[in-house]
Amino acid sequence: MSASNTVSGEDFTMGGERAARGWRPRGSSARFRAGYDARLAHAAGITIYESFEAAEPVWRAFEPRAAGTAFQSFDWLSAWHRNVGGATGVAPAIAVVARQGETLLVAPLGIERRFGLRRLVWLGGRLADYKGPLVAPDFAARMGHEDFAALWTQIRRALPPHDLIVMEDQPVSLGTPGAPFANPFAGLGGAAAPDAAYVFDLPETFDAFSQRYRAETRRIDRSKMRKLEAEGEVTFRFAETPDERLAMVEDILARKAAQLAAQGISSIFDDERHLAAWRELATLPAEKQLLEVAELRLDGAFLSGSIGHVWHGRNTLMVHTYDPATLPRLSPGRLHLLKLIQSSIERGLATYDLSVGYAAYKESFCDTPTEMRNAVAAASALGVPVALAMRSGFAVKRFIKNDPRLMALVQKARARLA
């Protein structure tokens, strides 16, 4: 367990007590300021852990009651760091906030170096669709926006020095559509991310879910399933053993990588470091297992596959791929997804999450996408021009993705290059 010090810099919000605004004893030395920051962090109940091993006990103890996503679970992020983050030089700076011995927040942050700058980022990189904290269920009742803005400044002081704050892919809500729970970090500022997330609550029965669609849509789905079954033996099954899960994960990721490469899209699915993280996640022991892997096959031949995870009653679909050459008119990918949703309902799961990124089929399941936010701010003079450039880049990307004609041109050009 260790607490580190930081230089003051630009905050996302202003306000709070003198210390939160950047006050320092006049004429103090660097050593005195370091000691002052450490005492301030201690008084505020802030601890900065610089290794996963040190943070593990408090992190694991907090997870069962915390609001957040599986992408912030200890097993998920530690697998990422062992295989990806550590290899690329990301140093953990995991902030834990407690009051009277009770953990209120775990913020899995890190410091990465890029182009000579120290960047404060969420851990998880491209292996985490959502980034943010784990928070206590009563966090909002115990800490208002202004209080959290002041706390964030105190956390910043306790963190290692950094030039730039880059907090991407933050959902505005850590709860569910039916029980939204505001993400305190997303409320600090920033702008809407280029992509939204598609999350929806599940009813008690699959029949009630089907009633969301027009009678004609339900009829077409039933007809396609009957026609598929007429083609041969249709099997839909989840991986049941670690070896089976690993084999299915590797096959699905290889197919997804090929599918994206054909569209001119680079992905983590053919990167050896990320594949090693996926393998580690696939082979976690049963009591820690997060991944849920499924395949739809016809007479033993692959039709569609998916990789998701279940955490706190929420089923998140992360990877979904299909064979475009086999009976595309019968929409095996959609039939596979309907079976995933039906299985989730039958197990009593409360929420289904189609994750981040627009796709036409997602809108047919989710009427109201969840906003994602990116926040970029300079924390030193070196970070000012980079922060301006990054914010402009995000704005351009968001503009293109929200214009169907421009996005179609980008996709066409990318496919031609591929």
Side-chain angles (χ1 to χ4, degrees), residues 8-63:
S8 61
E10 177 185 338
D11 295 313
F12 295 151
T13 60
M14 300 298 292
E17 60 179 336
R18 286 192 303 168
R21 290 199 304 267
W23 175 81
R24 284 291 192 273
R26 188 174 299 173
S28 60
S29 66
R31 181 177 297 177
F32 187 96
R33 289 199 304 270
Y36 174 79
D37 285 339
R39 290 193 298 273
L40 180 64
H42 178 75
I46 300 166
T47 305
I48 305 299
Y49 294 92
E50 297 180 336
S51 73
F52 276 83
E53 292 76 16
E56 182 174 4
V58 66
W59 196 336
R60 286 198 184 278
F62 185 52
E63 276 188 22

Side-chain angles (χ1 to χ4, degrees), residues 346-371:
E346 290 172 349
R347 285 177 286 162
L349 300 179
T351 307
Y352 205 85
D353 181 357
L354 295 171
S355 196
V356 180
Y358 172 79
Y361 80 89
K362 293 185 180 182
E363 288 191 332
S364 70
F365 291 94
C366 177
D367 296 330
T368 308
T370 298
E371 181 185 333

